[in-house]
Amino acid sequence: MTDDVAQVAQAAIARHVKALRQGRRWSLDELASRSGVSKGMLVQIEGAKTNPSVGTLCRIAESFGVNIGRLLESAPEPVVKIVGADEPPVLWRGGAGGTGRLLRGVNDPAFVEVWQWRMPPGESHDSADHAGGTRELIHLQQGSIVVTVDGAEHAVHAGETIDFRADRPHTYRNAADVEAVLTMVVVMPQGERDRRA
């Protein structure tokens, strides 16, 4: 993601988090309690002074009952939208050089996100549980990965698709010697989530 695209994404996140919080008449303390994200981090996000991790964005979005795509919207939803090849932001970078790009997120009529992930050999990502009822569908275009859900490992190879409940901790790992390329669809239930509950 270029610096200009990163700054636009950072400004959109700041604007939407603040507007969603104020629209609900929540204090920063209330949002921090509901999301599990520290008040200091929320101040940095609303001030467009940091690029939050994908995990942090997930927790904030879930607390508002929206998807990450809603936090990145730059304008009202058109009837038709074509997203350019260079537009989707990289919201996750792994230690081995992997990336996760949010291709598109929609909030109506359901909360759905479409991601493209590239995981070089040795790359892994641990994901905390999402809101209850969340599902993930991953289609492997190239390579193979091991998806661990509730401690059980599931090998997924090129051409295969895995569908699982993502409302529990899960991990993606590339244990092969070639890059894994995958498309992930995340489907979330509507409604706010309070992590205190």
Side-chain angles (χ1 to χ4, degrees), residues 59-97:
R59 289 191 298 275
I60 293 170
E62 287 174 351
S63 68
F64 290 132
V66 300
N67 66 38
I68 293 175
R70 172 69 175 81
L71 300 180
L72 293 165
E73 290 174 355
S74 58
E77 283 287 313
V79 174
V80 175
K81 178 169 179 124
I82 297 175
V83 178
D86 294 336
E87 289 183 63
V90 174
L91 296 179
W92 172 78
R93 292 190 187 278

Short mmCIF file of all heavy atoms in Angstrom, two decimals, residues 59-97:
data_model
loop_
_atom_site.label_atom_id
_atom_site.label_comp_id
_atom_site.label_asym_id
_atom_site.label_seq_id
_atom_site.Cartn_x
_atom_site.Cartn_y
_atom_site.Cartn_z
N ARG A 59 -11.97 -5.83 16.27
CA ARG A 59 -12.61 -5.63 17.58
C ARG A 59 -13.45 -4.35 17.58
O ARG A 59 -14.56 -4.32 18.12
CB ARG A 59 -11.57 -5.62 18.68
CG ARG A 59 -10.98 -7.00 18.94
CD ARG A 59 -10.14 -7.06 20.21
NE ARG A 59 -8.99 -6.19 20.19
CZ ARG A 59 -7.81 -6.48 19.66
NH1 ARG A 59 -7.62 -7.66 19.10
NH2 ARG A 59 -6.81 -5.62 19.71
N ILE A 60 -12.93 -3.28 16.99
CA ILE A 60 -13.67 -2.01 16.95
C ILE A 60 -14.91 -2.16 16.07
O ILE A 60 -16.01 -1.77 16.47
CB ILE A 60 -12.76 -0.87 16.44
CG1 ILE A 60 -11.65 -0.58 17.47
CG2 ILE A 60 -13.58 0.39 16.17
CD1 ILE A 60 -10.56 0.34 16.96
N ALA A 61 -14.73 -2.71 14.87
CA ALA A 61 -15.87 -2.87 13.96
C ALA A 61 -16.95 -3.73 14.59
O ALA A 61 -18.14 -3.39 14.52
CB ALA A 61 -15.39 -3.48 12.63
N GLU A 62 -16.57 -4.85 15.20
CA GLU A 62 -17.55 -5.73 15.84
C GLU A 62 -18.31 -5.03 16.96
O GLU A 62 -19.49 -5.26 17.14
CB GLU A 62 -16.87 -6.99 16.37
CG GLU A 62 -16.44 -7.95 15.29
CD GLU A 62 -15.64 -9.12 15.82
OE1 GLU A 62 -15.26 -9.13 17.02
OE2 GLU A 62 -15.36 -10.03 15.02
N SER A 63 -17.62 -4.17 17.69
CA SER A 63 -18.30 -3.48 18.79
C SER A 63 -19.39 -2.55 18.25
O SER A 63 -20.40 -2.33 18.91
CB SER A 63 -17.31 -2.71 19.67
OG SER A 63 -16.74 -1.63 18.97
N PHE A 64 -19.20 -2.01 17.04
CA PHE A 64 -20.21 -1.16 16.41
C PHE A 64 -21.25 -1.97 15.63
O PHE A 64 -22.25 -1.42 15.18
CB PHE A 64 -19.56 -0.17 15.44
CG PHE A 64 -18.76 0.92 16.10
CD1 PHE A 64 -17.48 1.21 15.64
CD2 PHE A 64 -19.27 1.67 17.14
CE1 PHE A 64 -16.73 2.22 16.22
CE2 PHE A 64 -18.53 2.68 17.72
CZ PHE A 64 -17.25 2.96 17.26
N GLY A 65 -20.98 -3.24 15.40
CA GLY A 65 -21.89 -4.06 14.61
C GLY A 65 -21.74 -3.81 13.12
O GLY A 65 -22.71 -3.90 12.37
N VAL A 66 -20.52 -3.47 12.69
CA VAL A 66 -20.23 -3.26 11.26
C VAL A 66 -19.01 -4.10 10.90
O VAL A 66 -18.35 -4.66 11.77
CB VAL A 66 -19.97 -1.77 10.93
CG1 VAL A 66 -21.18 -0.91 11.29
CG2 VAL A 66 -18.72 -1.24 11.62
N ASN A 67 -18.68 -4.15 9.61
CA ASN A 67 -17.46 -4.85 9.22
C ASN A 67 -16.34 -3.85 9.00
O ASN A 67 -16.56 -2.64 8.97
CB ASN A 67 -17.69 -5.76 8.00
CG ASN A 67 -18.00 -5.00 6.75
OD1 ASN A 67 -17.45 -3.93 6.49
ND2 ASN A 67 -18.89 -5.54 5.94
N ILE A 68 -15.14 -4.36 8.81
CA ILE A 68 -13.98 -3.49 8.63
C ILE A 68 -14.15 -2.59 7.42
O ILE A 68 -13.74 -1.43 7.44
CB ILE A 68 -12.68 -4.33 8.50
CG1 ILE A 68 -12.37 -5.04 9.80
CG2 ILE A 68 -11.51 -3.46 8.10
CD1 ILE A 68 -11.18 -5.97 9.72
N GLY A 69 -14.77 -3.11 6.36
CA GLY A 69 -14.99 -2.31 5.16
C GLY A 69 -15.72 -1.02 5.45
O GLY A 69 -15.46 0.01 4.84
N ARG A 70 -16.65 -1.06 6.40
CA ARG A 70 -17.41 0.15 6.77
C ARG A 70 -16.49 1.21 7.33
O ARG A 70 -16.70 2.41 7.12
CB ARG A 70 -18.49 -0.23 7.79
CG ARG A 70 -19.24 0.94 8.40
CD ARG A 70 -20.13 1.64 7.37
NE ARG A 70 -20.93 2.66 7.97
CZ ARG A 70 -20.50 3.89 8.26
NH1 ARG A 70 -19.27 4.24 8.01
NH2 ARG A 70 -21.32 4.78 8.81
N LEU A 71 -15.44 0.81 8.04
CA LEU A 71 -14.51 1.77 8.62
C LEU A 71 -13.60 2.40 7.57
O LEU A 71 -12.97 3.43 7.83
CB LEU A 71 -13.65 1.10 9.70
CG LEU A 71 -14.40 0.49 10.88
CD1 LEU A 71 -13.43 -0.13 11.87
CD2 LEU A 71 -15.29 1.52 11.57
N LEU A 72 -13.51 1.79 6.39
CA LEU A 72 -12.63 2.27 5.33
C LEU A 72 -13.35 3.03 4.23
O LEU A 72 -12.72 3.59 3.34
CB LEU A 72 -11.89 1.10 4.70
CG LEU A 72 -10.88 0.40 5.60
CD1 LEU A 72 -10.49 -0.94 5.03
CD2 LEU A 72 -9.68 1.28 5.83
N GLU A 73 -14.69 3.09 4.27
CA GLU A 73 -15.45 3.74 3.21
C GLU A 73 -15.07 5.21 3.10
O GLU A 73 -14.98 5.91 4.10
CB GLU A 73 -16.95 3.65 3.49
CG GLU A 73 -17.51 2.26 3.35
CD GLU A 73 -18.97 2.18 3.79
OE1 GLU A 73 -19.53 3.17 4.29
OE2 GLU A 73 -19.54 1.09 3.65
N SER A 74 -14.87 5.65 1.86
CA SER A 74 -14.51 7.06 1.66
C SER A 74 -15.71 7.91 1.26
O SER A 74 -15.66 9.12 1.35
CB SER A 74 -13.41 7.18 0.61
OG SER A 74 -13.83 6.60 -0.60
N ALA A 75 -16.77 7.29 0.78
CA ALA A 75 -17.95 8.03 0.35
C ALA A 75 -19.18 7.13 0.49
O ALA A 75 -19.05 5.93 0.68
CB ALA A 75 -17.77 8.46 -1.11
N PRO A 76 -20.38 7.71 0.36
CA PRO A 76 -21.60 6.89 0.43
C PRO A 76 -21.58 5.78 -0.63
O PRO A 76 -20.99 5.94 -1.70
CB PRO A 76 -22.72 7.89 0.15
CG PRO A 76 -22.15 9.22 0.50
CD PRO A 76 -20.68 9.13 0.20
N GLU A 77 -22.24 4.69 -0.34
CA GLU A 77 -22.28 3.53 -1.23
C GLU A 77 -23.00 3.86 -2.54
O GLU A 77 -24.15 4.29 -2.52
CB GLU A 77 -23.03 2.38 -0.54
CG GLU A 77 -22.23 1.66 0.50
CD GLU A 77 -21.14 0.79 -0.09
OE1 GLU A 77 -21.38 0.03 -1.03
OE2 GLU A 77 -20.01 0.91 0.40
N PRO A 78 -22.34 3.64 -3.67
CA PRO A 78 -23.02 3.81 -4.96
C PRO A 78 -23.83 2.56 -5.30
O PRO A 78 -23.70 1.53 -4.64
CB PRO A 78 -21.85 3.98 -5.93
CG PRO A 78 -20.75 3.18 -5.30
CD PRO A 78 -20.94 3.34 -3.81
N VAL A 79 -24.64 2.63 -6.35
CA VAL A 79 -25.41 1.47 -6.80
C VAL A 79 -24.46 0.40 -7.31
O VAL A 79 -24.66 -0.79 -7.08
CB VAL A 79 -26.42 1.89 -7.89
CG1 VAL A 79 -27.13 0.68 -8.47
CG2 VAL A 79 -27.44 2.86 -7.30
N VAL A 80 -23.41 0.81 -8.03
CA VAL A 80 -22.40 -0.11 -8.56
C VAL A 80 -21.04 0.45 -8.19
O VAL A 80 -20.80 1.65 -8.30
CB VAL A 80 -22.49 -0.23 -10.10
CG1 VAL A 80 -21.35 -1.08 -10.65
CG2 VAL A 80 -23.84 -0.79 -10.52
N LYS A 81 -20.16 -0.40 -7.74
CA LYS A 81 -18.80 0.04 -7.41
C LYS A 81 -17.81 -0.96 -7.98
O LYS A 81 -17.93 -2.16 -7.76
CB LYS A 81 -18.61 0.15 -5.90
CG LYS A 81 -17.19 0.57 -5.55
CD LYS A 81 -17.03 0.94 -4.11
CE LYS A 81 -15.60 1.32 -3.87
NZ LYS A 81 -15.40 2.60 -3.33
N ILE A 82 -16.84 -0.45 -8.69
CA ILE A 82 -15.73 -1.27 -9.18
C ILE A 82 -14.50 -0.83 -8.41
O ILE A 82 -14.16 0.36 -8.39
CB ILE A 82 -15.53 -1.10 -10.70
CG1 ILE A 82 -16.77 -1.60 -11.44
CG2 ILE A 82 -14.27 -1.85 -11.14
CD1 ILE A 82 -16.74 -1.36 -12.92
N VAL A 83 -13.85 -1.76 -7.76
CA VAL A 83 -12.67 -1.47 -6.97
C VAL A 83 -11.45 -1.74 -7.84
O VAL A 83 -11.28 -2.84 -8.37
CB VAL A 83 -12.62 -2.34 -5.70
CG1 VAL A 83 -11.37 -2.07 -4.90
CG2 VAL A 83 -13.87 -2.10 -4.85
N GLY A 84 -10.61 -0.73 -8.00
CA GLY A 84 -9.40 -0.87 -8.81
C GLY A 84 -8.41 -1.84 -8.19
O GLY A 84 -8.41 -2.07 -6.98
N ALA A 85 -7.55 -2.39 -9.03
CA ALA A 85 -6.57 -3.39 -8.58
C ALA A 85 -5.65 -2.87 -7.49
O ALA A 85 -5.23 -3.63 -6.62
CB ALA A 85 -5.76 -3.88 -9.77
N ASP A 86 -5.35 -1.57 -7.50
CA ASP A 86 -4.42 -1.01 -6.51
C ASP A 86 -5.12 -0.38 -5.31
O ASP A 86 -4.47 0.11 -4.40
CB ASP A 86 -3.53 0.04 -7.17
CG ASP A 86 -2.59 -0.56 -8.20
OD1 ASP A 86 -2.29 -1.77 -8.09
OD2 ASP A 86 -2.17 0.17 -9.11
N GLU A 87 -6.45 -0.38 -5.29
CA GLU A 87 -7.20 0.28 -4.22
C GLU A 87 -7.26 -0.49 -2.90
O GLU A 87 -7.17 0.13 -1.85
CB GLU A 87 -8.62 0.59 -4.68
CG GLU A 87 -8.72 1.69 -5.70
CD GLU A 87 -10.17 2.00 -6.04
OE1 GLU A 87 -10.91 2.42 -5.13
OE2 GLU A 87 -10.54 1.78 -7.20
N PRO A 88 -7.45 -1.81 -2.91
CA PRO A 88 -7.64 -2.50 -1.62
C PRO A 88 -6.40 -2.36 -0.72
O PRO A 88 -5.28 -2.63 -1.15
CB PRO A 88 -7.86 -3.96 -2.01
CG PRO A 88 -8.34 -3.90 -3.42
CD PRO A 88 -7.62 -2.73 -4.03
N PRO A 89 -6.62 -1.93 0.51
CA PRO A 89 -5.49 -1.75 1.42
C PRO A 89 -4.98 -3.07 1.99
O PRO A 89 -5.72 -4.03 2.17
CB PRO A 89 -6.09 -0.89 2.54
CG PRO A 89 -7.54 -1.26 2.55
CD PRO A 89 -7.90 -1.54 1.11
N VAL A 90 -3.69 -3.09 2.26
CA VAL A 90 -3.09 -4.22 2.98
C VAL A 90 -3.31 -3.93 4.46
O VAL A 90 -2.81 -2.95 4.99
CB VAL A 90 -1.57 -4.34 2.67
CG1 VAL A 90 -0.94 -5.42 3.55
CG2 VAL A 90 -1.35 -4.65 1.19
N LEU A 91 -4.10 -4.77 5.11
CA LEU A 91 -4.41 -4.57 6.53
C LEU A 91 -3.66 -5.53 7.43
O LEU A 91 -3.72 -5.41 8.65
CB LEU A 91 -5.92 -4.70 6.75
CG LEU A 91 -6.77 -3.65 6.05
CD1 LEU A 91 -8.25 -3.90 6.33
CD2 LEU A 91 -6.37 -2.24 6.50
N TRP A 92 -2.99 -6.52 6.83
CA TRP A 92 -2.19 -7.45 7.63
C TRP A 92 -0.88 -7.69 6.90
O TRP A 92 -0.87 -7.91 5.70
CB TRP A 92 -2.93 -8.76 7.84
CG TRP A 92 -2.08 -9.82 8.49
CD1 TRP A 92 -1.76 -9.91 9.81
CD2 TRP A 92 -1.41 -10.90 7.83
NE1 TRP A 92 -0.94 -11.00 10.02
CE2 TRP A 92 -0.70 -11.62 8.81
CE3 TRP A 92 -1.33 -11.32 6.51
CZ2 TRP A 92 0.05 -12.74 8.51
CZ3 TRP A 92 -0.58 -12.44 6.21
CH2 TRP A 92 0.10 -13.14 7.22
N ARG A 93 0.21 -7.64 7.65
CA ARG A 93 1.53 -8.00 7.15
C ARG A 93 2.12 -9.00 8.12
O ARG A 93 2.19 -8.76 9.31
CB ARG A 93 2.44 -6.79 7.04
CG ARG A 93 2.01 -5.80 5.97
CD ARG A 93 3.07 -4.74 5.72
NE ARG A 93 2.58 -3.73 4.82
CZ ARG A 93 2.55 -3.84 3.50
NH1 ARG A 93 3.01 -4.93 2.93
NH2 ARG A 93 2.10 -2.86 2.74
N GLY A 94 2.52 -10.14 7.58
CA GLY A 94 3.09 -11.19 8.41
C GLY A 94 4.59 -11.06 8.55
O GLY A 94 5.25 -10.35 7.78
N GLY A 95 5.14 -11.77 9.49
CA GLY A 95 6.57 -11.74 9.76
C GLY A 95 7.42 -12.30 8.64
O GLY A 95 8.59 -11.94 8.50
N ALA A 96 6.84 -13.16 7.79
CA ALA A 96 7.60 -13.76 6.68
C ALA A 96 7.31 -13.05 5.36
O ALA A 96 7.68 -13.53 4.30
CB ALA A 96 7.27 -15.25 6.56
N GLY A 97 6.60 -11.90 5.42
CA GLY A 97 6.31 -11.14 4.21
C GLY A 97 4.92 -11.35 3.65
O GLY A 97 4.60 -10.83 2.58
#
